[in-house]
Amino acid sequence: MSDDKRRGGEDGGAGTGVITKTKPKTKKPSLYKVLLLNDDYTPMEFVVHVLERFFSKGRDEATVIMLHVHQHGVGICGLYTYEVAETKVTQVMDFAQQHQHPLQCTMERE
Ligand code: TYC
């Protein structure tokens, strides 16, 4: 009698196990650009400070970004997941309002 008959043979024999390849369930989160907008009234030094304080930029990089916004009207402070970007926007808007500067900060999906 064959091995298969003795075992019942229900699985179709050796080496026929079902292989399931499952899709990884993780999805890359969408990223959002946090943008600063230019205006005529917010002091340059305040904008540099905002970039240092809320976006962890060094003075030199913060100055480059501030001048870019000053010259081009808009500039990117960083790329973040939705919740982090939203928090940064709120922090900047609150901080600008506290100091009575019209600085605007917004976010946009990458
Ligand atoms: N344009 C402003 C000035 O001349 C400086 C400034 C830069 C304001 C960047 C806002 O996002 C800004 N004082």
Side-chain angles (χ1 to χ4, degrees):
M1 203 189 274
S2 74
D3 285 356
D4 241 22
K5 274 205 172 131
R6 260 178 272 126
R7 292 191 299 105
E10 300 283 323
D11 71 357
T16 62
V18 177
I19 296 167
T20 52
K21 195 169 176 183
T22 53
K23 239 186 186 178
K25 282 168 199 164
T26 52
K27 279 202 233 95
K28 287 180 198 161
S30 302
L31 293 177
Y32 291 77
K33 294 179 280 201
V34 173
L35 306 170
L36 270 185
L37 306 183
N38 189 37
D39 66 73
D40 293 338
Y41 305 102
T42 304
M44 289 185 174
E45 186 51 43
F46 183 82
V47 179
V48 170
H49 180 66
V50 162
L51 287 159
E52 290 175 331
R53 179 165 175 156
F54 299 112
F55 299 95
S56 305
K57 305 297 186 189
R59 176 142 291 246
D60 290 355
E61 193 187 352
T63 302
V64 167
I65 295 170
M66 181 280 294
L67 286 174
H68 175 96
V69 176
H70 177 69
Q71 287 158 10
H72 297 90
V74 61
I76 300 171
C77 308
L79 267 183
Y80 305 96
T81 55
Y82 183 88
E83 287 207 341
V84 175
E86 202 184 34
T87 300
K88 304 258 180 218
V89 169
T90 302
Q91 286 173 330
V92 172
M93 295 298 282
D94 288 352
F95 192 61
Q97 191 165 58
Q98 281 164 28
H99 293 267
Q100 300 186 306
H101 295 311
L103 181 63
Q104 294 291 305
C105 185
T106 184
M107 61 194 269
E108 193 176 273
R109 200 168 140 178
E110 239 269 289

